[in-house]
């Protein structure tokens, strides 16, 4: 048997740089069409925002072996489309029984979680806070602050991501919008097929 070598990676809290990452991807504003409630605001922003990187992920993948782990960082830009804060696409794991952890490094945000029964939970993400995403929960991160939101994550190598579940449900049950001052609040997503 060829053993996988142990490794350590330096992580920079301010910009999410992960030295010796071997995977990375970027999401541009234009990739997120249809995600936000206010399609008109999205279209209005498009000319200026289209090519901007609204979030990026760097990760370290040693192997795809079951039992192994992927760890990495996500950096999310601050901003809103209409009243709704910038967010990730969100997903359930393809192997839905796989859990995940998030650990806040800088900035302010929340993790929006939805159980298969439609229960909604919110957990704050900021420096020093660890958030546990239990098996089966759909999860999406949202930058509710004015600066980049940077966090670490960790999940099983064979977990995969299922994005279709949110599309089929026409979004998560709740949207994260400005409360009109400096904070956020949850709002029902009335398009959600599970909304009742
Ligand atoms: C976190 C992790 C990653 C995920 C990323 C972006 O960093 O959960 O697994 O890929 O957020 O979120 P999404 O895949 O939903 O676009
Ligand atoms: Zn995940």
């Amino acid at each position: 048997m060829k053993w996988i070598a142990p490794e350590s990676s330096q992580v920079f809290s301010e910009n999410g740089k992960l030295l010796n990452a071997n995977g990375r991807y970027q999401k541009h504003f234009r990739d997120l069409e249809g995600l936000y409630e206010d399609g008109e605001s999205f279209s209005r922003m498009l000319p200026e925002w289209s090519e901007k990187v609204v979030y990026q992920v760097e990760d370290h993948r040693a192997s795809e072996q079951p039992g192994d782990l992927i760890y990495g960082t996500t950096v999310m830009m601050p901003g809103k489309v209409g009243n709704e804060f910038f967010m990730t696409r969100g997903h359930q794991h393809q192997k839905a029984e796989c859990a995940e952890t998030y650990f806040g490094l800088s900035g302010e945000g929340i993790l929006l979680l939805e159980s298969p029964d439609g229960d909604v939970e919110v957990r704050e993400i900021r420096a020093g806070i660890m958030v546990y995403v239990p098996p089966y929960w759909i999860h999406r991160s949202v930058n509710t602050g004015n600066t980049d939101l940077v966090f670490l994550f960790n999940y099983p190598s064979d977990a995969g991501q299922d994005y279709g579940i949110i599309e089929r449900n026409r979004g998560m049950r709740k949207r994260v919008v400005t409360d009109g001052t400096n904070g956020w609040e949850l709002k029902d997503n009335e398009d959600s097929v599970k909304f009742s």
Side-chain angles (χ1 to χ4, degrees):
M1 173 127 185
K2 194 170 175 290
W3 306 110
I4 297 170
E7 196 136 10
S8 62
S9 306
Q10 191 169 5
V11 180
F12 293 88
S13 300
E14 287 309 310
N15 61 12
K17 187 84 205 133
L18 178 74
L19 295 190
N20 64 8
N22 57 11
R24 49 179 61 81
Y25 71 84
Q26 299 184 321
K27 282 284 152 204
H28 296 88
F29 186 80
R30 62 173 143 79
D31 300 324
L32 302 180
E33 188 160 11
L35 199 62
Y36 295 95
E37 181 174 45
D38 187 345
E40 271 178 35
S41 290
F42 186 90
S43 303
R44 218 175 309 117
M45 289 170 73
L46 203 51
E48 187 189 334
W49 281 79
S50 180
E51 300 306 311
K52 292 202 169 128
V53 174
V54 281
Y55 64 91
Q56 64 181 15
V57 176
E58 289 197 331
D59 58 23
H60 181 271
R61 297 167 180 245
S63 79
E64 286 180 2
Q65 226 164 266
D68 202 350
L69 289 172
I70 295 171
Y71 62 89
T73 56
T74 303
V75 179
M76 299 178 65
M77 237 182 130
K80 290 193 280 294
V81 175
N83 291 328
E84 199 172 2
F85 289 103
F86 280 6
M87 59 183 158
T88 58
R89 292 167 293 175
H91 57 262
Q92 188 186 47
H93 292 145
Q94 226 153 17
K95 284 197 178 163
E97 66 273 23
C98 291
E100 183 164 1
T101 58
Y102 284 66
F103 183 73
L105 295 176
S106 58
E108 286 170 27
I110 60 173
L111 197 63
L112 179 66
L113 300 118
E114 187 175 311
S115 79
D117 296 328
D119 300 320
V120 174
E121 294 274 342
V122 170
R123 293 292 180 277
E124 210 181 331
I125 312 175
R126 61 181 158 78
I129 305 248
M130 175 75 115
V131 186
Y132 164 62
V133 180
Y136 293 95
W137 286 73
I138 297 165
H139 46 286
R140 153 181 291 163
S141 33
V142 184
N143 186 346
T144 55
N146 301 316
T147 59
D148 283 352
L149 172 64
V150 185
F151 55 87
L152 264 176
F153 61 83
N154 230 295
Y155 62 92
S157 299
D158 57 339
Q161 283 94 5
D162 174 10
Y163 297 103
I165 190 164
I166 295 183
E167 274 167 37
R168 286 192 299 277
N169 293 346
R170 280 191 250 126
M172 293 180 73
R173 285 193 173 197
K174 299 283 182 184
R175 294 187 176 276
V176 184
V177 297
T178 168
D179 67 357
T181 58
N182 236 349
W184 57 270
E185 61 187 21
L186 293 182
K187 178 186 168 191
D188 288 334
N189 170 15
E190 306 202 5
D191 297 331
S192 168
V193 291
K194 289 204 281 179
F195 185 74
S196 58

